[in-house]
Amino acid sequence: MTDTSAEALAALQELDKEGDLKKRLAIVRISEPISLDGGHSGPSPSKRRSDVSVFEDPTPASLEADLSHYKELFSKLRFSYLEQVTKEKFLRAIVGDPPVIVGHNENTELETQLADVKAELKARKEDARIMIEEMEAMGRDLASRYKNVELQTIQLSTLPASIENLESTIAGLRAKQVANMDPSDPNSSSSSQNLPLPATLSLLAEREAELASLNRQLAAVQNTLPRKTREAEVMERESSVLERRKEEAIMQAREAQRKKQQGESDGLEEMGRWYRGAEMTLKELVGTEA
């Protein structure tokens, strides 16, 4: 591929040096005269008085301006020609010997012929219009193709260097892959990258099945996530309540221990004695009644 692109680039450069590239790629060289007599070229485009644009580097806009200009010139020329021919025929008819007198029947016959000629001219104009539209479409297509050829020529000039860079990159990657390859490990990524197509497809199917299983597990976990989140919030609230109660109980125990160490009475001992005496009294009463 490199040799082919290099050969094509060399051929294009050779044509460009000889100045023959644009000449070969040009479809219609409008700057040259249409006809050549005896090998002698016609008048130079710069010497023509009716030119609107210079044809050294024609563009669609300049060609459109030239076309409009020539249409106007030919319209004026046709009007002048018809006027002069009509005057000449009329003068010859009235000064001739004998003078030519045109009758009504001849006028009618001429009008019939004129209608036929006009119809034929209209048909030819329609054919010419269709042909011009086809030529314009073909010209636009050829212009776009020419631009593509120029763009591809520029790309082709940079293609060999890009190919060399890619080839050097591929060689470096292959060398790195060979250096990192471990033949004793069949599950290594290097060995999996060197599998044949059937084994690669089988490995791909296996990995896709594992991925599908993981996706299902992930979907199940995501479905249970809201319920678990609510349960965690309830447990967090309950744990905060229990934590407060624990702190209060610890504070009360520390306060009771402090009072006991200082010999202060917190009323619990007296209350316990009263409850014990009441219990014994109730037991005696129950035993007496029994």
Side-chain angles (χ1 to χ4, degrees):
M1 181 177 179
T2 306
D3 297 337
T4 305
S5 60
E7 292 175 0
L9 180 60
L12 289 174
Q13 290 177 350
E14 186 67 23
L15 290 174
D16 197 9
K17 288 180 181 178
E18 295 176 358
D20 198 28
L21 180 60
K22 290 185 177 294
K23 187 175 180 181
R24 289 194 178 188
L25 293 178
I27 305 301
V28 176
R29 291 180 291 278
I30 196 169
S31 60
E32 297 180 359
I34 296 176
S35 62
L36 298 176
D37 297 332
H40 299 286
S41 61
S44 173
S46 60
K47 295 181 180 179
R48 290 187 291 181
R49 301 298 182 184
S50 61
D51 279 348
V52 175
S53 62
V54 180
F55 290 114
E56 294 297 333
D57 190 11
T59 60
S62 63
L63 294 178
E64 187 71 25
D66 285 331
L67 181 60
S68 301
H69 178 65
Y70 284 129
K71 282 183 178 180
E72 184 179 357
L73 287 179
F74 279 112
S75 177
K76 292 180 180 179
L77 179 61
R78 183 182 62 178
F79 179 77
S80 299
Y81 172 76
L82 292 176
E83 184 180 11
Q84 294 297 329
V85 169
T86 303
K87 287 181 180 179
E88 183 180 356
K89 287 184 177 181
F90 179 73
L91 291 175
R92 286 182 179 179
I94 62 176
V95 300
D97 189 16
V100 179
I101 305 299
V102 180
H104 177 70
N105 294 331
E106 294 178 353
N107 284 334
T108 304
E109 184 179 354
L110 289 174
E111 287 179 358
T112 304
Q113 294 178 1
L114 181 61
D116 296 337
V117 171
K118 283 185 176 181
E120 183 180 359
L121 179 61
K122 185 176 181 181
R124 291 188 178 183
K125 282 185 177 180
E126 182 66 20
D127 294 339
R129 185 187 64 80
I130 295 174
M131 186 181 299
I132 289 172
E133 290 180 355
E134 292 177 354
M135 292 176 65
E136 288 179 352
M138 186 181 297
R140 294 189 186 94
D141 185 31
L142 292 175
S144 63
R145 289 185 181 181
Y146 180 74
K147 289 182 180 179
N148 291 333
V149 169
E150 288 184 338
L151 180 60
Q152 290 174 1
T153 304
I154 296 173
Q155 293 176 351
L156 185 61
S157 62
T158 60
L159 189 60
S162 300
I163 292 175
E164 290 180 0
N165 292 332
L166 289 174
E167 288 179 349
S168 61
T169 303
I170 291 172
L173 291 174
R174 286 179 177 174
K176 185 177 180 181
Q177 181 180 359
V178 172
N180 295 331
M181 187 181 298
D182 186 5
S184 61
D185 187 6
N187 296 324
S188 63
S189 59
S190 300
S191 60
S192 63
Q193 292 176 359
N194 295 324
L195 293 175
L197 181 59
T200 303
L201 294 176
S202 177
L203 182 61
L204 178 61
E206 183 180 351
R207 294 291 186 269
E208 288 179 350
E210 293 178 359
L211 180 61
S213 177
L214 291 175
N215 288 332
R216 288 193 297 270
Q217 294 178 7
L218 181 61
V221 171
Q222 288 179 350
N223 292 331
T224 59
L225 181 61
R227 181 172 58 82
K228 296 294 184 182
T229 303
R230 290 192 297 271
E231 292 178 357
E233 291 176 354
V234 172
M235 293 180 66
E236 186 176 359
R237 288 194 297 269
E238 292 178 354
S239 63
S240 61
V241 173
L242 293 175
E243 187 69 24
R244 287 196 300 271
R245 291 180 180 178
K246 177 183 176 182
E247 292 177 357
E248 292 175 357
I250 291 174
M251 292 177 63
Q252 291 177 0
R254 288 178 179 175
E255 183 67 19
Q257 186 177 5
R258 184 184 63 79
K259 289 182 178 181
K260 186 175 182 180
Q261 289 177 355
Q262 293 179 359
E264 296 180 1
S265 176
D266 54 357
L268 294 176
E269 188 174 355
E270 288 80 0
M271 188 177 294
R273 291 175 182 175
W274 183 84
Y275 279 124
R276 184 173 294 178
E279 181 183 4
M280 292 176 64
T281 303
L282 289 174
K283 285 181 178 180
E284 290 177 357
L285 291 173
V286 172
T288 303
E289 291 178 357

